[in-house]
Amino acid sequence: MQNLSCAPSAVAINTATLGHILDGHGAGWSPEQVIDACAARGFAGIAFWTRELNGRAVEIGERTRSAGLRVTGLCRPPYLVGPNAPADQAESLKGLLETIDVAAELKAESLTVVVGGVIPESRSIVGSLNAVADIVARAADHAASGNVRLALEPLHPVYAGDRSCLVTVRDAVDMCNRIGHSHVGLAVDVYHVWWDLTLAEQLQRLPSDKIFGFHICDWLAETRDILLDRGMMGDGIADIRGLRKIVENAGYSGPSEVEVFSAGNWWLRDPDEVLDTIVERVRTVF
Ligand code: ZN
């Protein structure tokens, strides 16, 4: 008997895997092409990026569901704090609220939130995290009214300067519990947490329904670019199966989302080949 947990229906495809998040990368497939290719292979769903929607969120969401797929997520609001965020936190809140509205139109199950780096003049991780918690807490009711769950994603500490002052699952669980809202939870990404031996212990401190996403790829032993050289599952050194078990033991039962940023390898290939490879890796590695 086939093990359904190792079938394509156990995973969703994040369109970043096809190079869609940066100009000049990937094969330039339309959302419709991605939807049809994912449906044909029996994947569970798709997570889109805002830049692909171009005002067509409602249409693309409906098209995805009518193809038998879930819209598992939307990536992502502008950074809330840090050097690449608006200087004014009211503007950050506005950007978050606007992206929540897009996620609601798309009927995405969750909105992945990457919070932004340390506020440069503050030189304070704690102060930056406090600002993030404040902004997210103020957006939480709006998210709930749109039926959008906010998935806070802790990033690997190497990104603390410019992309995420939220760098450990410990801090993310603390923030989530502190905000204490039904629609504020976590996204756990293999790339960011594979090294963390406290993952299981930290997730046990979280209510069991608060993991809103599990992102998978692999950590290449020789990583050439910390942002755009992620590995396909099975090509690196992360214990993906073990990490998945930890996340599922902590209460997560949704699909695992394949998110491979790979400018020098997978983004150069035909998307059909990339998706076929994922089907094969899910069966053999996952
Ligand atoms: Zn991720």
Side-chain angles (χ1 to χ4, degrees), residues 201-222:
E201 180 189 325
Q202 295 303 331
L203 291 179
Q204 290 306 324
R205 299 195 296 118
L206 193 68
S208 61
D209 58 351
K210 285 299 190 76
I211 301 174
F212 296 161
F214 177 49
H215 305 168
I216 59 172
C217 64
D218 212 334
W219 183 280
L220 299 175
E222 248 187 85

Side-chain angles (χ1 to χ4, degrees), residues 14-16 19-21 29 31 46-56 60:
N14 185 305
T15 59
H20 285 192
I21 62 154
W29 273 13
I46 302 175
F48 292 97
W49 286 67
T50 51
R51 73 196 312 276
E52 298 154 358
L53 303 177
N54 288 322
R56 299 199 296 135
I60 290 171

Side-chain angles (χ1 to χ4, degrees), residues 2-82:
Q2 186 187 355
N3 180 354
L4 289 179
S5 70
C6 295
S9 58
V11 302
I13 302 298
N14 185 305
T15 59
T17 304
L18 305 179
H20 285 192
I21 62 154
L22 292 180
D23 286 329
H25 288 280
W29 273 13
S30 67
E32 284 78 3
Q33 283 174 284
V34 177
I35 293 164
D36 291 343
C38 287
R41 289 169 175 83
F43 291 123
I46 302 175
F48 292 97
W49 286 67
T50 51
R51 73 196 312 276
E52 298 154 358
L53 303 177
N54 288 322
R56 299 199 296 135
V58 171
E59 181 189 339
I60 290 171
E62 283 172 0
R63 176 79 157 73
T64 307
R65 283 181 293 278
S66 70
L69 297 159
R70 295 161 63 171
V71 180
T72 51
L74 178 67
C75 305
R76 58 182 171 66
Y79 294 125
L80 305 178
V81 297

Side-chain angles (χ1 to χ4, degrees), residues 99-136:
T99 315
I100 288 169
D101 291 341
V102 176
E105 286 174 12
L106 186 66
K107 291 197 170 81
E109 294 171 20
S110 66
L111 173 63
T112 301
V113 180
V114 175
V115 302
V118 170
I119 301 168
E121 62 276 19
S122 78
R123 294 187 170 77
S124 168
I125 295 177
V126 173
S128 304
L129 290 174
N130 286 342
V132 168
D134 183 51
I135 295 166
V136 172

